[in-house]
């Protein structure tokens, strides 16, 4: 069967309709997730640019420390405040779209939570606490939790038609879903409640409880953590007492937001076994969590406009050229000379005799050398084409394995660009490839 002018096999997945997704006013959040290094940041930025230029008011939230998003959008730097991107918007038919971009500042987001949920004196005590400073700057899972917090903040303001989220670069793409629960469990867990108990009892009774009931535990913790750190933790816990439930509540609320209609997950991958294996795990996890999956974006896919020339035929042609098997220029000219030496008539009708050998023709030598060089170049190009076709076949097999496991997942294949994306023109080019969904020659 045929789709959009391309021949589509029975095992070919449905094409992901990116423009329809971006244009749908019911789509309010798009989450780009996947393993590290597969192009999530570029995909998120390209979606933001395309949506804004199709008339939507968009904010792109990135958690990429490489700051490539700011550079590609012509912004000196991104921070925790959305900044408008110049030169993007207008919309199809004058729809008046806008693009804003921001980069998650993990510590600043944590500080904002403290400042908004604690009175001035308590907030200052928490912000100055050494354990809090360590926790907010790099505790395992904090970045992912704060990404969820910031997403919840952006959605609650209702200032944008569409929020595009670039999830954190993690060892595993699943960390984005797991870490908020882990941090919420830690802040609302038994360890914290035990440390909080003396502060809740208060006064001499609290001290007595601490000295008697927790003497063994605090002694062990002091050895593991150090007495100074343990004191910092207990001070932090006492100051944060009223806030712990809020972390779990907000994490749960944002988790429900990700499950709600209006949210769409795009799993981003490269056509490589490890990346697609990670993508398959993520697809299964999203289904288990009842989160809406829009489809798979397969980045950096290779194609060819000369796909009818197979790798095998290209290699055979290259070998023929290199071995002189197609045309033997010298043997052909030698054969003509031998025929003339047999006494056959010459140009004036008189028989030719061998006589002295003719002097080498410099023009003929140059022509032969030129033919040889052309053959070598042609053979090299044929070998390059064969390598390209082998890469295409390998990528196709890898994609087909994913498709056989998840035939229900719509796919947009994004053709590889010749260079890196570093400006708005590059992001627009990626957006066009996303919308097309199929690279050349496939």
């Amino acid at each position: 069967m045929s789709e959009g002018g391309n021949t589509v096999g029975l095992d070919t997945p449905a094409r992901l309709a990116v423009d329809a997704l971006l244009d749908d006013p019911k789509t309010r959040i798009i989450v780009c997730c996947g393993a590290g290094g597969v192009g999530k940041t570029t995909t998120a930025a390209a979606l933001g640019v395309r949506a804004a230029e199709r008339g939507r008011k968009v904010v792109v939230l990135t958690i990429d420390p490489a700051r490539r998003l700011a550079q590609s959008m012509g912004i000196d730097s991104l921070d925790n405040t959305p900044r408008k991107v110049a030169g993007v918007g207008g919309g199809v038919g004058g729809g008046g779209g806008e693009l804003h971009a921001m980069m998650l500042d993990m510590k600043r987001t944590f500080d904002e939570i403290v400042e908004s949920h604690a009175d001035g004196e308590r907030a200052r005590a928490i912000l100055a606490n050494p354990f809090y400073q360590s926790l907010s700057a790099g505790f395992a899972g904090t970045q992912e939790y704060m990404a969820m917090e910031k997403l919840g903040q952006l959605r609650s303001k209702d200032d944008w038609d569409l929020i595009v989220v670039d999830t954190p670069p993690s060892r595993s793409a699943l960390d984005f879903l797991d870490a908020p629960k882990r941090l919420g469990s830690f802040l609302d867990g038994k360890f914290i409640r035990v440390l909080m108990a003396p502060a809740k009892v208060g006064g001499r009774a609290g001290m007595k409880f601490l000295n008697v009931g927790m003497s063994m535990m605090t002694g062990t913790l002091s050895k593991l953590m150090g007495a100074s750190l343990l004191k910092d933790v207990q001070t932090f816990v006492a100051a944060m007492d009223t806030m712990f439930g809020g972390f779990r509540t907000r994490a749960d609320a944002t988790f429900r937001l990700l499950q709600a209609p209006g949210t769409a997950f795009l799993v981003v991958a490269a056509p490589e076994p490890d990346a697609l294996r990670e993508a398959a795990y993520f697809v299964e996890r999203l289904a288990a969590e009842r989160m809406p999956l829009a489809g798979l974006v397969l980045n950096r896919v290779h194609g060819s406009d000369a796909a009818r020339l197979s790798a095998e035929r290209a290699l055979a042609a290259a070998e023929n050229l290199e071995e002189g098997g197609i045309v033997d220029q010298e043997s052909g000219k030698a054969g003509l000379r031998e025929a003339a030496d047999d006494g056959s008539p010459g140009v004036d009708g008189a028989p030719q005799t061998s006589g002295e050998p003719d002097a080498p023709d410099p023009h003929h030598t140059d022509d032969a050398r030129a033919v040889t060089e052309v053959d070598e170049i042609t053979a090299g190009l044929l070998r390059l084409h064969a390598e390209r076709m082998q890469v295409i076949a390998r990528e196709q097999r890898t994609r087909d394995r994913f498709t056989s496991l998840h035939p229900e997942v719509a796919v947009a294949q994004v053709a590889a660009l010749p260079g890196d994306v570093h400006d708005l023109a590059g992001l627009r080019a990626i957006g066009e490839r996303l919308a097309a969904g199929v690279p050349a020659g496939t």
Side-chain angles (χ1 to χ4, degrees):
M1 62 181 174
S2 177
E3 180 179 345
N6 294 288
T7 301
V8 180
L10 294 176
D11 59 345
T12 299
R15 185 180 301 180
L16 175 62
V18 171
D19 282 347
L21 179 68
L22 297 177
D23 293 345
D24 187 351
K26 295 178 182 177
T27 304
R28 302 299 303 275
I29 297 172
I30 294 177
V31 181
C32 297
C33 52
V38 296
K40 285 183 296 183
T41 300
T42 302
T43 299
L47 289 169
V49 170
R50 191 164 183 86
E53 295 190 333
R54 297 178 70 83
R56 304 200 71 182
K57 188 175 181 182
V58 187
V59 60
V60 176
L61 168 63
T62 183
I63 304 96
D64 184 2
R67 301 188 181 276
R68 289 179 289 111
L69 179 62
Q71 296 167 1
S72 65
M73 292 185 173
I75 299 175
D76 292 337
S77 63
L78 292 177
D79 54 25
N80 223 35
T81 303
R83 298 181 181 276
K84 188 174 181 179
V85 179
V88 178
V92 178
E98 293 181 7
L99 177 63
H100 300 250
M102 62 182 296
M103 178 178 290
L104 177 73
D105 184 329
M106 180 175 63
K107 187 178 187 311
R108 183 61 206 142
T109 301
F110 211 150
D111 291 350
E112 289 172 355
I113 296 170
V114 171
E115 291 166 352
S116 62
H117 292 87
D119 58 56
E121 183 177 350
R122 178 171 290 192
R124 285 190 293 272
I126 294 171
L127 297 177
N129 183 274
F131 179 73
Y132 167 78
Q133 292 174 357
S134 175
L135 174 69
S136 61
F139 188 81
T142 305
Q143 186 180 51
E144 287 82 359
Y145 180 90
M146 291 307 148
M148 298 276 269
E149 281 276 357
K150 183 55 69 175
L151 172 60
Q153 291 175 12
L154 291 172
R155 185 66 184 88
S156 65
K157 292 179 180 178
D158 206 28
D159 289 338
W160 292 276
D161 299 334
L162 177 64
I163 302 167
V164 182
V165 182
D166 163 35
T167 56
S170 305
R171 180 188 61 80
S172 169
L174 300 178
D175 288 348
F176 179 68
L177 295 179
D178 288 334
K181 285 186 175 179
R182 288 201 305 270
L183 184 61
S185 297
F186 167 75
L187 293 175
D188 198 28
K190 291 181 180 179
F191 175 70
I192 291 294
R193 290 201 299 271
V194 169
L195 291 175
M196 202 186 306
K200 283 183 175 293
V201 175
R204 292 183 179 180
M207 291 303 297
K208 183 178 180 180
F209 176 83
L210 177 64
N211 291 333
V212 177
M214 295 185 64
S215 57
M216 291 182 63
M217 178 181 174
T218 54
T220 302
L221 288 174
S222 294
K223 290 178 182 179
L224 294 174
M225 303 170 62
S228 177
L229 177 57
L230 179 58
K231 182 179 179 181
D232 290 338
V233 172
Q234 290 175 325
T235 304
F236 164 76
V237 168
M240 292 279 285
D241 181 9
T242 59
M243 296 181 59
F244 289 127
F247 283 99
R248 172 61 68 85
T249 300
R250 286 191 300 278
D252 290 345
T254 306
F255 206 78
R256 289 194 298 272
L257 178 64
L258 294 176
Q259 294 174 318
T263 297
F265 279 83
L266 289 177
V267 178
V268 184
E272 300 164 1
D274 288 346
L276 276 172
R277 192 176 301 115
E278 191 86 3
Y281 292 150
F282 208 104
V283 167
E284 293 162 8
R285 174 63 184 279
L286 290 172
E289 299 285 359
R290 302 192 308 279
M291 291 188 174
L293 173 65
L296 172 75
V297 173
L298 198 57
N299 268 332
R300 304 168 190 152
V301 177
H302 293 88
S304 174
D305 289 324
R308 287 180 295 178
L309 178 59
S310 68
E312 292 77 12
R313 290 177 59 199
L315 286 173
E319 290 172 1
N320 273 332
L321 283 172
E322 290 167 343
E323 295 171 1
I326 294 179
V327 177
D328 190 341
Q329 298 285 349
E330 293 303 313
S331 62
K333 290 186 178 292
L336 290 174
R337 284 198 298 271
E338 289 170 2
D341 287 345
D342 269 347
S344 58
V347 175
D348 55 2
Q352 288 266 11
T353 58
S354 60
E356 294 295 321
D358 294 336
D361 183 350
H363 297 295
H364 168 67
T365 302
D366 291 343
D367 289 345
R369 186 180 298 113
V371 168
T372 300
E373 291 175 354
V374 169
D375 287 352
E376 291 174 352
I377 293 171
T378 304
L381 290 174
L382 285 166
R383 289 190 177 279
L384 284 175
H385 175 76
E387 291 177 8
R388 176 87 168 202
M389 294 305 296
Q390 289 167 348
V391 168
I392 292 171
R394 185 166 60 249
E395 292 178 352
Q396 182 70 36
R397 288 193 299 270
T398 304
R399 193 210 72 181
D400 287 347
R401 282 196 292 271
F402 174 89
T403 300
S404 66
L405 291 172
H406 300 286
E408 77 286 356
V409 178
V411 178
Q413 298 187 80
V414 182
L417 287 175
D420 292 334
V421 175
H422 54 81
D423 55 18
L424 286 172
L427 292 176
R428 289 188 178 100
I430 291 293
E432 291 171 0
R433 284 163 168 75
L434 276 165
V438 178
T442 62

